[in-house]
Structures are given as C-alpha cells and as structure tokens.
C-alpha cells in the first residue's frame, strides 16, 4: 500500500489496446462460467439426488448457473442482483446498493479531502524545514508499517466511546491511509525544480512565498495528481474496511459482512463488483481532473 | 564540532528533565507543587529537545560514519521523545486505559502475554502471510513471463492489472473463507490475490527496462529468447521485481489480518485484535499492533537488504557511495 506510488500509474486503456483487453476480459468471463460449473457441481448433484430426478449434463450446467446460494455465482446472476438493487430499488431503501454506495462514498471523499490537505501541509513543512525532514520523514514511512486496516475496528470502537460516531471515525481511517502517498509524492514534486530554475528565482529577488507559488507548486502538480490517483483508491478501501467492525449498519463493507454472515454469496459478489466499479470511476474522475488542470496550466494535453 | 557539542548539551538537558518528569508522574503529584507546573516544564523540555534536534540535523561531518550516526540519531531521538510525551500525558492526565493505554502498560503486556502473541504470530504471519506471499509473487512473476512471450496477452492483461491495483481486493476475504474454510489457507488465498497484481505489473514493466542497444548486442550473438531473458532482461528487471516484493510485503500482512475478521479459528492476530477490542483490553490490542508493525518492518527490511545485495550495480545504490 505504502509503496504503491512507485507502481506504474493507472493509465487509461488506450485505443490500440481495446481489442486485446476485450479478448482477455471475454476469456476471463468464460473462465468464470466454467469455474461456476466446477465449484457448484457437487451441490447441484446433491440437489438432483434429493429430488430423485434423472439429469443430463445440460441440466447440471443450467442448474449450477441458477442456484440460490452458490459457492460461486455465475456472472449473469450477479448482474441481475446488481440491476435489482441499483436500478429497481428505491434509493431510500436499506436494500438499495446506491444507498450503501453513497454511505461509503461520502466517508471516502471526506477522508480523502482531509488526507490530501494533511499530506500537502506536511510535505511543505518537510521541504522547507530541515529538522522536520530529518526527524519526521522516517516516522511517516514507519507509520505505514502499522496495519491500519487491521486496527480500523479499534479506532472505530475507541472513537465511538468518546462519542464520535458515524461518518468521522470512518473518514479518519481513510485520512490515515491516503496522506502517505500525498506526502511522498509532494516532497518529490516540490523538490523537482532544478538548480537553474531556483537560481533564476534568486536573481529575480523572489521571496520565499513567490518561489513557492510561481515555481515549486506548479512543478509539483503532476506529482500531486499521480499521488491522488493512488490515494483515492486506498481511501475507498479504508472506508470499506472501516464499515466492518461493530456491525456497521450501512455501506458496501457492511453488505459484504452481512452477506458472509448469512451465506448470501450473490449479495457479496454484487457488493464487491459495485465497490470495484466505484474505485475505477473515482480513479477515472481523478485522471479527468488532472488532464483539465494540466491543460489549463499550459502543460502537455 | 561546536554544533555537535551544543546539540548534545541540549539533548542531555532534555533527557534529564524527561527522567525527572517521568519519575514525578509515576510517584504522584507531590513532587510538583501543582500540575500546571508539570505541563509547563514538559512544554519547555520539548522546546529544548527540538532545539537540540535542529542543531543535530544541521551537523555536518567529513567522517562518513559520524555523519551516518547523526542521521540515524535524529529520527530515533524524535521517536523516543514522542513515546515520552505519550507516557507523560496518558499517566499524568489519567487518560482512561480504554482510550489509550500508556507505553509502559503495552510493554508490560508484551512480556506477560508473550505465549499468546507468539501463537498468533505463528498462525497469521508464519503460515498465512508467508505461504500467500510466496505463491502470489511466484504466480505474478510466471504470468508476467508468459505475457512477455505473448505480446497480445500482454496488451490485454496490463490495463486490467493496472486497474486491479485500484480495486478493494481485500473484499474477496469472505468469499475465500467460504471456499477454503476458517483456517489459515483462506487467509493465504486472500494474500495470493492481493500480491499477484503488483508483481505482474512490475515484472512486465521491468522486462522492458533493458535498453535497445543491449538487446541488439545479444541479437548479434544469436542469443535465443530464453538466453537473452536469463542473461540480460531478468537482471535488468530486478529493481522492478524488488519494488513489487517490497509493496507486497506490506500488503500481505494487511490482507491476512483483515481476512481474519471474516471468520477464523480462535488464534491469529486479526482474531485477537477484534475480540480484545470487544472486551476493552486495549493494552493487548496495542501489543498486537506493535507486533504487527515490528513484523511488517522487519519483513520489509529483509527484502530491502536482499535488494541491496543483489542489485548493488544499480545507479540508485552506486550514487550513495555505499
């Protein structure tokens, strides 16, 4: 999680890759159907035996793709469940995935905003104050070795004991997770101007603030956006995990947990796919904002 | 030398003050005439310690070893000071233990419950994390080699692999628990899925790292695909592969612990954290957190050390003159 910033960035699918991606996705879909047959066959054979019915291979395959609680639901079952809970259910209902998705999204965005702000402030301090850099940076890196996702329930319980309930504790988890890539990316970015440019500012007799706003900040923006794409994705993961403890009532994480308690596999899968779509949408949105901002600044389109 | 002396003087003064403050907090309020005096002196001591750290951070030495010692001392002293503040505030202000136990209590718990912690560590780290990490990294690596051999597959897999790094993969934990049961194999399965994609994406990127000139040289030698892979492209991909190994070392621990929230036998770090929170034994929870942090850092450190030994030729190491 910590070092995800150095992983190759999330690039959109370029036009040349559309066909291979479609083929590979289709292959995965076929694999999924085959795996559903393979995993659910035992249960289906038992069910036929209990009914005392004769069955053919065709019956078996059809049966494995239409079970109530399969080990692995077929893709069309998940799609049908998602359609039912997203489109056909009123968004005020407790069964609507839109409602649960909104609960998760709101804490994701709040935590993301706070984490980004904290990350930028820390990075500015680290770049300008030498003692801060030497003492704080190693600890910021060490802070990520604490498996925060694992102590999320504790944070939620403790903050609940103080009287903080609902949105804030969940957002705190997201904040803790996403400030890190922002700090690391921004420290890199604010140091990106080369010596020649810094000297030029000095010859212009620019003040510290002027140097910051006219040179360091614009130079750091591409680095910031690369970090933000990573940060928003882990904010979402943080928000989902923060919904697990103390039997959270709402949110995609709560849907996962409820589904696993009652063996509702189709519900688990639809919550999972919805979360994945939400993550992809958030990262895509970040890329769009990045492109717009960099273009407005006269950078490369 | 002058700056070093000043820094040491500041820090020693702060240390003496810190010891007195700790002593007075633990023996009761009768040493200090009133508690505001304690807080004021802690504040003054912090300012003095910060002054010492600033001076030490500015220290420059021609001797490389002294320089490195000074560079290591700054974050270490900073961390120790944070622990001191934590102890003084939690004990001195009577912070309820349910909210935040003092470091002293946590350390005591580490020793008194060592056997429980060890059993949890074995269940979560030695079984789930290590097995899943090995399988996931190996799988990602092999699929990357396959994708490298078949360009069509590479162009199809890579965007999906990049997308997967943004997905909340930890969510597959309940499904894995259903498939593989409550014990450690289900946690290992979660770790495998989490570590697979970073390895795939990084290895594919690394296999493209060797320069055209080097590849053409091997072509003039009439080297086969496998020969050029083994003798040129894999070594060139090493920094990328290690990058993935480092990312995965932290991901693996998180994945295993979170997966334990969805059903476990009655042992394991995630199990212990979630049950002891319910029983309000926060010192035990913090002991587990310390254990996880130490284990995670040590794991990361081992991978980083192996990287330094195996990729000593890489510019990022050679520049440092290490």
């Amino acid at each position: 999680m910590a070092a995800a910033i150095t992983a190759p960035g999330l690039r959109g699918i370029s036009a040349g890759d559309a066909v291979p991606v479609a083929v590979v996705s289709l292959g995965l879909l076929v694999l999924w159907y085959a795996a559903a047959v393979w995993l659910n066959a035992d249960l289906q054979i038992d069910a036929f035996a209990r009914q005392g019915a004769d069955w053919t291979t065709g019956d078996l395959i059809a049966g494995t793709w239409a079970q109530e609680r399969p080990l692995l639901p077929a893709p069309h079952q998940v799609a049908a469940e998602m359609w039912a809970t997203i489109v056909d259910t009123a968004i005020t209902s407790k069964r609507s995935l839109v409602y649960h998705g909104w609960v998760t999204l709101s804490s994701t965005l709040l935590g993301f905003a706070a984490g980004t702000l904290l990350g930028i402030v820390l990075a500015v301090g680290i770049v300008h104050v030498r003692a801060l850099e030497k003492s704080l940076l190693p600890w910021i890196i060490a802070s990520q070795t604490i498996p925060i996702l694992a102590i999320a329930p504790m944070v939620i319980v403790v903050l609940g004991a103080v009287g903080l309930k609902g949105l804030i504790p969940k957002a705190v988890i997201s904040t803790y997770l996403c400030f890190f890539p922002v700090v690391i990316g921004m420290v890199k970015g604010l140091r990106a101007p080369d010596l020649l440019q810094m000297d030029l500012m000095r010859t212009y007799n620019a003040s510290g603030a002027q140097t910051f706003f006219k040179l360091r900040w614009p130079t750091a923006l591409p680095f910031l956006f690369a970090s933000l794409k990573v940060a928003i994705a882990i904010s979402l993961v943080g928000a989902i995990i923060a919904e697990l403890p103390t039997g959270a009532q709402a949110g995609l994480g709560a849907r996962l947990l409820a589904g696993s308690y009652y063996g509702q596999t189709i519900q688990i899968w639809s919550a999972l796919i919805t979360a994945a779509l939400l993550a992809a949408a958030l990262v895509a949105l970040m890329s769009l904002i990045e492109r717009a901002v960099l273009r407005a600044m006269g950078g490369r389109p | 030398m002058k700056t070093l002396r000043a820094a040491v003087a500041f820090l020693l003064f702060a240390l003496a003050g810190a010891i007195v403050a700790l002593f007075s907090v633990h023996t009761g309020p009768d040493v200090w005439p009133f508690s505001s005096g304690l807080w004021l002196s802690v504040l003054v001591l912090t300012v003095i310690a910060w002054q010492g750290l600033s001076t030490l951070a500015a220290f420059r030495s021609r001797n490389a070893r002294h320089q490195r010692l000074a560079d290591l001392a700054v974050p270490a002293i900073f961390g120790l000071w944070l622990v001191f503040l934590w102890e003084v505030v939690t004990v001195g202000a009577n912070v309820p233990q349910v909210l935040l136990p003092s470091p002293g209590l946590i350390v005591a718990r580490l020793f008194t419950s060592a056997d429980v912690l060890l059993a949890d560590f074995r269940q979560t780290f030695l079984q789930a994390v290590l097995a899943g990490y090995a399988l996931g990294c190996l799988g990602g690596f092999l699929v990357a080699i396959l994708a490298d051999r078949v360009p069509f597959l590479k162009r199809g897999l890579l965007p999906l692999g990049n997308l997967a790094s943004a997905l909340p993969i930890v969510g597959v934990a309940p499904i894995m628990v259903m498939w593989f049961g409550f014990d450690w194999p289900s946690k290992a399965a979660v770790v495998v899925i989490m570590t697979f994609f970073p390895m795939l994406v990084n290895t594919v990127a690394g296999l493209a790292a060797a320069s055209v000139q080097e590849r053409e040289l091997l072509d003039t030698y009439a080297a086969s695909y496998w020969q050029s892979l083994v003798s040129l492209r894999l070594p060139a991909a090493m920094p990328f592969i290690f990058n993935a190994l480092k990312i995965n070392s932290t991901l693996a621990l998180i994945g295993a612990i979170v997966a334990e929230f969805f059903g476990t036998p009655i042992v394991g770090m995630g199990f212990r954290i979630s049950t002891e929170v319910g029983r309000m034994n926060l010192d035990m929870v913090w002991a587990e957190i310390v254990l996880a942090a130490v284990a995670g850092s040590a794991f990361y450190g081992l991978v980083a050390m192996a990287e330094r030994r195996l990729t000593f030729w890489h510019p990022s190491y050679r520049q440092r003159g290490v």
Side-chain angles (χ1 to χ4, degrees):
Chain A
M1 196 126 303
I5 197 79
T6 51
L10 299 153
R11 285 179 303 276
I13 298 169
S14 62
D17 291 337
V19 172
V21 169
V23 170
V24 170
S25 306
L26 205 65
L28 288 176
L29 209 61
V30 171
L31 264 180
W32 186 349
Y33 270 111
V37 172
W38 179 59
L39 279 168
N40 301 334
D42 291 349
L43 280 171
Q44 195 58 37
I45 291 169
D46 283 352
F48 282 139
R50 275 200 300 278
Q51 292 161 2
D54 289 334
W55 50 273
T56 62
T57 314
D59 292 340
L60 177 67
I61 290 175
T64 52
W65 289 346
Q67 288 176 354
E68 184 73 27
R69 291 184 183 181
L71 262 180
L72 174 61
H76 66 261
Q77 286 178 291
V78 177
E81 165 82 7
M82 281 173 69
W83 182 262
T85 48
I86 291 174
V87 183
D88 286 349
T89 319
I91 54 170
T92 47
S93 150
K94 284 269 193 271
R95 291 201 58 243
S96 164
L97 268 183
V98 177
Y99 161 76
H100 289 293
W102 169 246
V103 170
T104 303
L105 185 65
S106 54
S107 73
T108 300
L109 292 180
L110 186 63
F112 173 70
T116 303
L117 206 63
L118 177 68
I120 292 175
V121 168
L122 282 174
V124 171
I126 284 170
V127 168
H128 288 93
V129 184
R130 187 160 185 84
L132 258 185
E133 173 206 346
K134 282 209 162 177
S135 52
L136 200 60
L137 201 54
W139 286 100
I140 288 179
I141 292 169
S143 77
Q144 298 300 306
T145 62
I146 297 178
I148 181 73
L149 285 175
I151 53 170
M154 189 195 78
V155 176
I156 305 283
V157 169
V158 167
L159 290 176
V162 192
L164 270 176
K165 285 192 169 58
L167 195 61
I168 305 286
K170 292 198 298 181
V172 167
I173 305 281
S174 291
T175 301
Y176 186 98
L177 279 173
C178 82
F179 91 98
F180 178 74
V182 176
V183 170
I184 300 296
M186 277 308 273
V187 168
K188 242 189 189 150
L190 292 172
R191 291 205 176 127
D194 59 30
L195 270 176
L196 272 178
Q197 292 168 319
M198 295 299 281
D199 281 345
L200 181 65
M201 294 309 264
R202 212 161 294 142
T203 50
Y204 287 157
N205 197 15
S207 67
Q210 283 172 320
T211 307
F212 181 80
F213 285 111
K214 289 189 166 26
L215 175 60
R216 280 192 195 265
W217 179 253
T219 319
L221 268 185
F223 291 84
L224 175 65
F225 276 111
S227 303
L228 288 186
K229 279 187 241 174
V230 175
I232 199 153
I234 48 180
S235 291
L236 181 66
V237 177
I240 290 174
I241 299 297
E243 283 159 357
L244 296 181
T246 60
Q249 300 304 308
L252 293 173
R255 290 300 278 180
L256 280 177
L257 199 60
S260 88
Y261 279 160
Y262 304 115
Q264 299 285 2
T265 38
I266 302 181
Q267 181 188 318
I268 297 182
W269 277 92
S270 58
L272 199 57
I273 304 271
T274 307
L277 290 177
L278 194 57
L282 286 174
V283 174
L285 185 68
M286 268 288 127
S287 300
L288 278 178
I289 295 173
E290 170 186 34
R291 211 173 289 173
V293 169
L294 292 185
R295 189 176 293 163
M297 286 177 44
R300 278 166 302 169
Chain B
M1 221 58 239
K2 217 180 206 170
T3 54
L4 190 61
R5 270 205 206 104
V8 170
F10 274 124
L11 289 171
L12 280 178
F13 186 83
L15 176 72
I19 291 169
V20 174
L22 279 179
F23 185 76
S24 67
V25 160
H26 279 285
T27 49
D30 47 354
V31 177
W32 300 82
F34 40 85
S35 68
S36 64
L38 170 69
W39 299 128
L40 199 63
S41 36
V42 166
L43 187 69
V44 171
L45 283 175
T46 303
V47 171
I48 291 171
W50 180 250
Q51 192 60 45
L53 277 183
S54 305
T55 324
L56 192 59
F59 172 66
R60 287 277 156 276
S61 167
R62 290 202 199 91
N63 185 329
R65 274 190 58 201
H66 290 184
Q67 184 65 52
R68 197 188 297 172
L69 267 179
D71 285 350
L72 277 176
V74 174
I77 293 169
F78 183 77
L80 279 174
W81 196 259
L82 284 185
V83 172
F84 158 73
L85 285 181
W86 179 0
E87 178 84 22
V88 163
V89 170
T90 45
V91 177
N94 281 327
V95 175
Q97 200 232 322
V98 171
L99 210 59
L100 188 68
S102 71
L105 283 172
I106 296 166
V107 172
R109 173 60 81 171
L110 274 171
F111 285 104
T112 51
S113 301
D115 51 341
V116 177
L117 288 164
L118 196 67
D120 291 343
F121 178 76
R122 186 180 306 126
Q123 167 79 14
T124 302
F125 196 89
L126 296 183
Q127 286 176 318
V129 170
L130 288 185
Y133 180 81
L135 273 175
C137 289
L138 191 70
F141 180 76
L142 291 178
V143 172
I145 300 275
L146 185 73
D148 182 66
R149 197 84 182 94
V150 187
F152 185 82
L153 193 62
K154 178 163 110 181
R155 285 168 53 199
L157 266 180
L158 212 53
L160 293 176
N162 276 326
L163 180 67
S165 63
L167 301 184
I169 292 185
V170 136
V172 301
I175 297 161
M176 292 301 134
V177 170
M178 262 175 213
W179 289 2
F180 297 101
F182 278 164
D183 209 354
W184 67 265
S186 60
K187 314 324 177 250
V190 175
V191 176
V192 166
I193 298 173
M194 280 181 84
T195 54
F196 177 86
F197 292 104
M199 193 65 178
L200 171 70
V201 172
N202 274 288
T203 309
V204 168
L207 287 172
S211 74
V212 177
Q213 251 186 337
E214 291 162 323
R215 276 186 235 186
E216 284 177 349
L217 177 68
L218 283 184
D219 284 344
T220 58
Y221 290 157
S224 70
Y225 170 83
W226 292 109
Q227 281 173 324
S228 78
L229 185 75
V230 171
S231 56
L232 167 66
R233 294 173 64 221
L234 274 183
M238 273 297 175
F240 290 83
I241 293 170
F242 269 110
N243 188 22
L245 286 173
K246 283 194 284 195
I247 296 171
N248 284 345
S249 68
T250 46
L251 276 184
L253 190 60
I254 290 170
I257 292 178
V258 171
E260 286 183 347
F261 296 158
F262 288 95
T264 73
I266 49 164
V267 62
M269 290 155 100
F271 164 80
R272 192 78 51 207
I273 289 173
S274 47
T275 49
E276 297 295 335
V277 162
R279 291 159 59 186
M280 291 294 171
N281 290 336
L282 280 211
D283 51 348
M284 186 70 197
V285 176
W286 274 96
E288 289 281 1
I289 292 167
V290 170
L291 177 66
V294 169
S297 311
F299 193 16
Y300 186 95
L302 273 176
V303 175
M305 244 169 59
E307 174 177 34
R308 184 168 281 236
R309 295 292 291 274
L310 287 173
T311 62
F312 56 90
W313 44 266
H314 196 261
S316 61
Y317 290 114
R318 282 197 313 211
Q319 274 169 4
R320 293 184 200 164
V322 178

